[in-house]
Amino acid sequence: MTGLKVIQLLPALEAGGVERSTVEISEALTAAGHHSVVISAGGRMLPELLATGAQHIHLDIGRKSPFTVLTVRRLRQLIAGADIVHARSRLPAWLAWLAMRRLAEPPRWVNTVHGLNSPGRYSRILTRGDRVICVSESVRRHLLAHYPDLDAGRLQVIERGIDPDMFARVEAPPQACRERYRAEFPQLMGGRLLCLPGRGTRLKGHQAAIELLARLRQSGVDARLLLVGVEQQGRQRYLAQLRQLAQQRGVEPWLAVSPPRDDMQALYAASDLIMQLSDRPEAFGRTVLEALSVGRPVLGWSHGGVGELLQELFPEGAIEPSDIDALTTGAIRLLAAPSTAPVTIPYTLARMQAATLNLYVQLCQS
């Protein structure tokens, strides 16, 4: 088969699992001799996307406004002649559906369900592709539970994956790794470092992390906390609320925050304990894999995709959701005698890329 033209649709290229997967599949497409096109409103990760050899077309297909439907005509022109249209979010999927309805020969349609979306007509659009990629078994079960008439044969589980070279295991003590951050985060020097990666939204469990920090310090543990990714444009009010909470709990001197970063492997290596405390079940939980690959223990709520990964790879880090007492006990236990994280992570980037490209090829040949 000659090279495919694959168009991926997503709202923007700022930060997150959707954006990361888009870049990773683009890299695999161009490496295999296919033509990768991404349509979005752009963002922080655009240079990284362009470095893969992809073509980017700026179109605001993620803005929730009645005027966004005006992009359908332009979108129809762009996707005409493509082999695959791959939508990664609900609104872009709706726009793709509207655009393809009037094409004489529409492309094959793939959707990825990246989250455990609220069931309903708006979310159902992601189940209407020729193939529907589920990023975990949790997502597959969620879709079949809420859409009982859904053809399960169109669902394919392709777990997200990490590059084990990018998140190479580090055996050096965290304190030695932490020296590189002395100037940037002086409040994190000494003691035991807890790290919670996650966007600046209240669903990511930042409040629970601050409460854990307070309880650990009350228990005599010299704990410090780094919230990575919480400092974002438009999130200043939420950040102020977190700082106020830390002040109320008496732990602000031992709290640091940062924007999304590109040095996560080094930050994991510098940490004593990584946390994943999202209030709602996550579809997958890539940060769990990243941290375990580096060799650091992970503590998280045992629900959704995060719970699946912890139960399989690091069960001692799985905590009953919202049980702050168990979370504190678990943190003290892991900090006192950290369990050995698994050396081999089965969910790799290469595996995810190969499975996705194979799906594209099989779909076009069917």
Side-chain angles (χ1 to χ4, degrees):
M1 174 178 286
T2 57
L4 301 177
K5 180 178 181 180
V6 178
I7 298 179
Q8 297 184 80
L9 308 176
L10 73 161
L13 285 161
E14 290 298 341
V18 174
E19 294 83 351
R20 173 57 52 199
S21 293
T22 301
V23 172
E24 290 168 344
I25 293 305
S26 177
E27 179 182 40
L29 284 167
T30 56
H34 302 298
H35 182 197
S36 171
V37 180
V38 173
I39 300 176
S40 81
R44 188 179 72 92
M45 295 177 66
L46 179 56
E48 189 175 352
L49 173 74
L50 296 177
T52 70
Q55 176 188 2
H56 180 263
I57 299 173
H58 189 281
L59 195 64
D60 196 354
I61 55 174
R63 184 164 57 99
K64 293 180 179 178
S65 162
F67 296 104
T68 304
V69 75
L70 299 177
T71 63
V72 169
R73 182 177 180 181
R74 173 62 174 152
L75 191 59
R76 183 179 299 120
Q77 295 169 343
L78 293 172
I79 66 180
D83 296 290
I84 298 282
V85 167
H86 186 166
R88 294 184 174 276
S89 184
R90 289 173 292 180
L91 183 51
W94 273 107
L95 297 174
W97 177 72
L98 291 171
M100 289 189 290
R101 282 196 309 169
R102 294 180 58 183
L103 289 176
E105 297 183 13
R108 305 310 297 269
W109 189 18
V110 176
N111 292 329
T112 292
V113 183
H114 286 272
L116 301 174
N117 300 315
S118 301
R121 185 169 181 268
Y122 181 61
S123 296
R124 190 184 181 105
I125 189 64
L126 288 174
T127 71
R128 297 185 63 169
D130 297 310
R131 291 291 185 276
V132 179
I133 297 174
C134 305
V135 300
S136 68
E137 185 60 35
S138 285
V139 170
R140 182 179 181 276
R141 289 197 302 265
H142 177 80
L143 294 180
L144 292 175
H146 292 288
Y147 306 104
D149 59 335
L150 180 59
D151 177 10
R154 291 188 292 110
L155 304 182
Q156 182 169 340
V157 177
I158 302 179
E159 294 92 347
R160 305 300 85 184
I162 64 162
D163 182 349
D165 293 329
M166 183 174 294
F167 295 97
R169 196 174 184 87
V170 176
E171 302 293 351
Q175 191 57 41
C177 301
R178 211 172 299 163
E179 289 300 318
R180 65 180 288 180
Y181 298 107
R182 178 175 292 277
E184 186 176 1
F185 303 116
Q187 66 270 53
L188 301 181
M189 293 302 111
R192 314 302 299 279
L193 177 58
L194 282 59
C195 177
L196 191 151
R199 292 176 292 110
T201 167
R202 63 184 68 253
L203 298 177
K204 289 297 183 179
H206 301 111
Q207 295 90 342
I210 292 172
E211 177 61 26
L212 174 61
L213 175 64
R215 292 192 177 205
L216 288 175
R217 296 197 66 84
Q218 289 168 2
S219 300
V221 179
D222 183 12
R224 319 294 172 99
L225 174 62
L226 173 61
L227 303 178
V228 182
V230 72
E231 192 174 307
Q232 292 179 293
Q233 185 67 31
R235 300 290 183 177
Q236 293 87 349
R237 182 178 178 183
Y238 176 62
L239 179 55
Q241 291 172 349
L242 292 180
R243 291 194 181 281
Q244 183 179 21
L245 175 61
Q247 187 176 34
Q248 291 171 350
R249 298 296 285 121
V251 294
E252 189 178 21
W254 301 282
L255 171 69
V257 300
S258 87
R261 303 177 67 101
D262 298 321
D263 60 344
M264 288 307 301
Q265 189 269 355
L267 278 177
Y268 291 137
S271 302
D272 295 284
L273 182 62
I274 312 300
M275 297 180 294
Q276 224 292 358
L277 302 175
S278 295
D279 297 339
R280 295 181 184 175
E282 295 273 6
F284 187 61
R286 185 192 296 254
T287 57
V288 173
L289 295 183
E290 293 173 348
L292 291 177
S293 180
V294 175
R296 296 298 178 256
V298 179
L299 194 66
W301 301 136
S302 186
H303 56 187
V306 170
E308 281 184 18
L309 291 175
L310 287 173
Q311 291 292 349
E312 177 185 356
L313 301 174
F314 194 71
E316 52 266 61
I319 303 296
E320 191 67 24
S322 303
D323 189 339
I324 195 69
D325 291 333
L327 184 71
T328 305
T329 301
I332 292 173
R333 171 173 42 83
L334 289 175
L335 290 172
S339 301
T340 302
V343 175
T344 302
I345 302 296
Y347 304 108
T348 65
L349 173 59
R351 170 178 154 170
M352 185 270 283
Q353 291 172 320
T356 305
L357 266 60
N358 187 52
L359 181 151
Y360 292 157
V361 171
Q362 288 184 346
L363 194 55
C364 289
Q365 290 176 339
S366 63

PDB file of all heavy atoms in Angstrom, residues 294-312:
ATOM      1  N   VAL A 294      10.967   5.175  35.597  1.00  0.00           N
ATOM      2  CA  VAL A 294      12.153   5.833  36.160  1.00  0.00           C
ATOM      3  C   VAL A 294      12.600   5.117  37.437  1.00  0.00           C
ATOM      4  O   VAL A 294      13.760   5.246  37.850  1.00  0.00           O
ATOM      5  CB  VAL A 294      11.864   7.324  36.421  1.00  0.00           C
ATOM      6  CG1 VAL A 294      13.032   8.018  37.116  1.00  0.00           C
ATOM      7  CG2 VAL A 294      11.575   8.033  35.093  1.00  0.00           C
ATOM      8  N   GLY A 295      11.693   4.355  38.047  1.00  0.00           N
ATOM      9  CA  GLY A 295      12.055   3.595  39.237  1.00  0.00           C
ATOM     10  C   GLY A 295      11.561   4.189  40.530  1.00  0.00           C
ATOM     11  O   GLY A 295      12.046   3.852  41.615  1.00  0.00           O
ATOM     12  N   ARG A 296      10.567   5.092  40.443  1.00  0.00           N
ATOM     13  CA  ARG A 296      10.039   5.728  41.635  1.00  0.00           C
ATOM     14  C   ARG A 296       8.666   5.158  41.987  1.00  0.00           C
ATOM     15  O   ARG A 296       7.856   4.879  41.106  1.00  0.00           O
ATOM     16  CB  ARG A 296       9.943   7.248  41.438  1.00  0.00           C
ATOM     17  CG  ARG A 296      11.289   7.912  41.232  1.00  0.00           C
ATOM     18  CD  ARG A 296      12.197   7.730  42.440  1.00  0.00           C
ATOM     19  NE  ARG A 296      13.511   8.331  42.232  1.00  0.00           N
ATOM     20  CZ  ARG A 296      14.610   7.635  41.958  1.00  0.00           C
ATOM     21  NH1 ARG A 296      14.540   6.317  41.868  1.00  0.00           N
ATOM     22  NH2 ARG A 296      15.762   8.242  41.793  1.00  0.00           N
ATOM     23  N   PRO A 297       8.363   5.008  43.275  1.00  0.00           N
ATOM     24  CA  PRO A 297       7.057   4.482  43.683  1.00  0.00           C
ATOM     25  C   PRO A 297       5.944   5.481  43.380  1.00  0.00           C
ATOM     26  O   PRO A 297       6.161   6.698  43.380  1.00  0.00           O
ATOM     27  CB  PRO A 297       7.214   4.268  45.187  1.00  0.00           C
ATOM     28  CG  PRO A 297       8.299   5.218  45.600  1.00  0.00           C
ATOM     29  CD  PRO A 297       9.237   5.295  44.423  1.00  0.00           C
ATOM     30  N   VAL A 298       4.762   4.947  43.122  1.00  0.00           N
ATOM     31  CA  VAL A 298       3.591   5.765  42.788  1.00  0.00           C
ATOM     32  C   VAL A 298       2.465   5.425  43.747  1.00  0.00           C
ATOM     33  O   VAL A 298       2.190   4.258  44.035  1.00  0.00           O
ATOM     34  CB  VAL A 298       3.127   5.516  41.338  1.00  0.00           C
ATOM     35  CG1 VAL A 298       1.883   6.357  41.027  1.00  0.00           C
ATOM     36  CG2 VAL A 298       4.240   5.832  40.351  1.00  0.00           C
ATOM     37  N   LEU A 299       1.807   6.466  44.240  1.00  0.00           N
ATOM     38  CA  LEU A 299       0.668   6.331  45.146  1.00  0.00           C
ATOM     39  C   LEU A 299      -0.532   6.985  44.473  1.00  0.00           C
ATOM     40  O   LEU A 299      -0.448   8.148  44.032  1.00  0.00           O
ATOM     41  CB  LEU A 299       0.973   7.034  46.476  1.00  0.00           C
ATOM     42  CG  LEU A 299       0.078   6.753  47.681  1.00  0.00           C
ATOM     43  CD1 LEU A 299       0.210   5.300  48.125  1.00  0.00           C
ATOM     44  CD2 LEU A 299       0.436   7.697  48.827  1.00  0.00           C
ATOM     45  N   GLY A 300      -1.645   6.259  44.350  1.00  0.00           N
ATOM     46  CA  GLY A 300      -2.783   6.854  43.657  1.00  0.00           C
ATOM     47  C   GLY A 300      -4.093   6.200  44.021  1.00  0.00           C
ATOM     48  O   GLY A 300      -4.145   5.101  44.588  1.00  0.00           O
ATOM     49  N   TRP A 301      -5.183   6.901  43.675  1.00  0.00           N
ATOM     50  CA  TRP A 301      -6.515   6.351  43.892  1.00  0.00           C
ATOM     51  C   TRP A 301      -6.734   5.190  42.934  1.00  0.00           C
ATOM     52  O   TRP A 301      -6.508   5.305  41.733  1.00  0.00           O
ATOM     53  CB  TRP A 301      -7.587   7.410  43.670  1.00  0.00           C
ATOM     54  CG  TRP A 301      -7.540   8.650  44.509  1.00  0.00           C
ATOM     55  CD1 TRP A 301      -7.721   9.926  44.065  1.00  0.00           C
ATOM     56  CD2 TRP A 301      -7.361   8.761  45.939  1.00  0.00           C
ATOM     57  NE1 TRP A 301      -7.659  10.818  45.104  1.00  0.00           N
ATOM     58  CE2 TRP A 301      -7.441  10.139  46.270  1.00  0.00           C
ATOM     59  CE3 TRP A 301      -7.128   7.830  46.951  1.00  0.00           C
ATOM     60  CZ2 TRP A 301      -7.304  10.595  47.578  1.00  0.00           C
ATOM     61  CZ3 TRP A 301      -6.983   8.289  48.257  1.00  0.00           C
ATOM     62  CH2 TRP A 301      -7.075   9.647  48.560  1.00  0.00           C
ATOM     63  N   SER A 302      -7.232   4.106  43.467  1.00  0.00           N
ATOM     64  CA  SER A 302      -7.391   2.893  42.670  1.00  0.00           C
ATOM     65  C   SER A 302      -8.745   2.886  41.969  1.00  0.00           C
ATOM     66  O   SER A 302      -9.665   2.139  42.330  1.00  0.00           O
ATOM     67  CB  SER A 302      -7.245   1.651  43.560  1.00  0.00           C
ATOM     68  OG  SER A 302      -7.257   0.481  42.775  1.00  0.00           O
ATOM     69  N   HIS A 303      -8.875   3.737  40.962  1.00  0.00           N
ATOM     70  CA  HIS A 303     -10.061   3.700  40.113  1.00  0.00           C
ATOM     71  C   HIS A 303      -9.663   4.054  38.683  1.00  0.00           C
ATOM     72  O   HIS A 303      -8.623   4.658  38.429  1.00  0.00           O
ATOM     73  CB  HIS A 303     -11.188   4.615  40.632  1.00  0.00           C
ATOM     74  CG  HIS A 303     -10.805   6.048  40.830  1.00  0.00           C
ATOM     75  ND1 HIS A 303     -11.656   6.971  41.422  1.00  0.00           N
ATOM     76  CD2 HIS A 303      -9.680   6.739  40.502  1.00  0.00           C
ATOM     77  CE1 HIS A 303     -11.054   8.143  41.465  1.00  0.00           C
ATOM     78  NE2 HIS A 303      -9.867   8.035  40.902  1.00  0.00           N
ATOM     79  N   GLY A 304     -10.502   3.639  37.732  1.00  0.00           N
ATOM     80  CA  GLY A 304     -10.235   3.916  36.323  1.00  0.00           C
ATOM     81  C   GLY A 304      -8.938   3.279  35.841  1.00  0.00           C
ATOM     82  O   GLY A 304      -8.457   2.270  36.368  1.00  0.00           O
ATOM     83  N   GLY A 305      -8.370   3.917  34.803  1.00  0.00           N
ATOM     84  CA  GLY A 305      -7.146   3.398  34.226  1.00  0.00           C
ATOM     85  C   GLY A 305      -5.970   3.427  35.175  1.00  0.00           C
ATOM     86  O   GLY A 305      -5.091   2.556  35.124  1.00  0.00           O
ATOM     87  N   VAL A 306      -5.925   4.428  36.050  1.00  0.00           N
ATOM     88  CA  VAL A 306      -4.847   4.500  37.050  1.00  0.00           C
ATOM     89  C   VAL A 306      -4.903   3.291  37.968  1.00  0.00           C
ATOM     90  O   VAL A 306      -3.882   2.654  38.264  1.00  0.00           O
ATOM     91  CB  VAL A 306      -4.946   5.808  37.861  1.00  0.00           C
ATOM     92  CG1 VAL A 306      -4.000   5.777  39.051  1.00  0.00           C
ATOM     93  CG2 VAL A 306      -4.642   6.999  36.963  1.00  0.00           C
ATOM     94  N   GLY A 307      -6.112   2.954  38.434  1.00  0.00           N
ATOM     95  CA  GLY A 307      -6.265   1.787  39.284  1.00  0.00           C
ATOM     96  C   GLY A 307      -5.847   0.506  38.580  1.00  0.00           C
ATOM     97  O   GLY A 307      -5.208  -0.368  39.178  1.00  0.00           O
ATOM     98  N   GLU A 308      -6.198   0.393  37.291  1.00  0.00           N
ATOM     99  CA  GLU A 308      -5.799  -0.782  36.509  1.00  0.00           C
ATOM    100  C   GLU A 308      -4.280  -0.929  36.495  1.00  0.00           C
ATOM    101  O   GLU A 308      -3.735  -2.016  36.729  1.00  0.00           O
ATOM    102  CB  GLU A 308      -6.307  -0.660  35.075  1.00  0.00           C
ATOM    103  CG  GLU A 308      -7.763  -0.995  34.876  1.00  0.00           C
ATOM    104  CD  GLU A 308      -8.155  -0.944  33.422  1.00  0.00           C
ATOM    105  OE1 GLU A 308      -7.261  -0.987  32.548  1.00  0.00           O
ATOM    106  OE2 GLU A 308      -9.363  -0.874  33.136  1.00  0.00           O
ATOM    107  N   LEU A 309      -3.598   0.174  36.198  1.00  0.00           N
ATOM    108  CA  LEU A 309      -2.135   0.118  36.094  1.00  0.00           C
ATOM    109  C   LEU A 309      -1.488  -0.191  37.438  1.00  0.00           C
ATOM    110  O   LEU A 309      -0.553  -0.995  37.520  1.00  0.00           O
ATOM    111  CB  LEU A 309      -1.605   1.439  35.539  1.00  0.00           C
ATOM    112  CG  LEU A 309      -1.938   1.739  34.079  1.00  0.00           C
ATOM    113  CD1 LEU A 309      -1.466   3.141  33.703  1.00  0.00           C
ATOM    114  CD2 LEU A 309      -1.306   0.702  33.154  1.00  0.00           C
ATOM    115  N   LEU A 310      -1.971   0.451  38.497  1.00  0.00           N
ATOM    116  CA  LEU A 310      -1.383   0.215  39.808  1.00  0.00           C
ATOM    117  C   LEU A 310      -1.620  -1.226  40.264  1.00  0.00           C
ATOM    118  O   LEU A 310      -0.709  -1.872  40.796  1.00  0.00           O
ATOM    119  CB  LEU A 310      -1.942   1.201  40.830  1.00  0.00           C
ATOM    120  CG  LEU A 310      -1.442   2.647  40.700  1.00  0.00           C
ATOM    121  CD1 LEU A 310      -2.200   3.559  41.661  1.00  0.00           C
ATOM    122  CD2 LEU A 310       0.056   2.735  40.955  1.00  0.00           C
ATOM    123  N   GLN A 311      -2.817  -1.730  40.072  1.00  0.00           N
ATOM    124  CA  GLN A 311      -3.103  -3.097  40.487  1.00  0.00           C
ATOM    125  C   GLN A 311      -2.232  -4.096  39.738  1.00  0.00           C
ATOM    126  O   GLN A 311      -1.802  -5.107  40.293  1.00  0.00           O
ATOM    127  CB  GLN A 311      -4.589  -3.422  40.260  1.00  0.00           C
ATOM    128  CG  GLN A 311      -5.551  -2.674  41.172  1.00  0.00           C
ATOM    129  CD  GLN A 311      -5.433  -3.107  42.626  1.00  0.00           C
ATOM    130  OE1 GLN A 311      -4.777  -4.095  42.959  1.00  0.00           O
ATOM    131  NE2 GLN A 311      -6.063  -2.349  43.524  1.00  0.00           N
ATOM    132  N   GLU A 312      -1.935  -3.796  38.480  1.00  0.00           N
ATOM    133  CA  GLU A 312      -1.120  -4.708  37.678  1.00  0.00           C
ATOM    134  C   GLU A 312       0.373  -4.573  37.963  1.00  0.00           C
ATOM    135  O   GLU A 312       1.084  -5.577  38.088  1.00  0.00           O
ATOM    136  CB  GLU A 312      -1.375  -4.449  36.184  1.00  0.00           C
ATOM    137  CG  GLU A 312      -0.510  -5.305  35.259  1.00  0.00           C
ATOM    138  CD  GLU A 312      -0.676  -4.949  33.797  1.00  0.00           C
ATOM    139  OE1 GLU A 312      -1.523  -4.082  33.470  1.00  0.00           O
ATOM    140  OE2 GLU A 312       0.054  -5.538  32.976  1.00  0.00           O
TER     141      GLU A 312
END
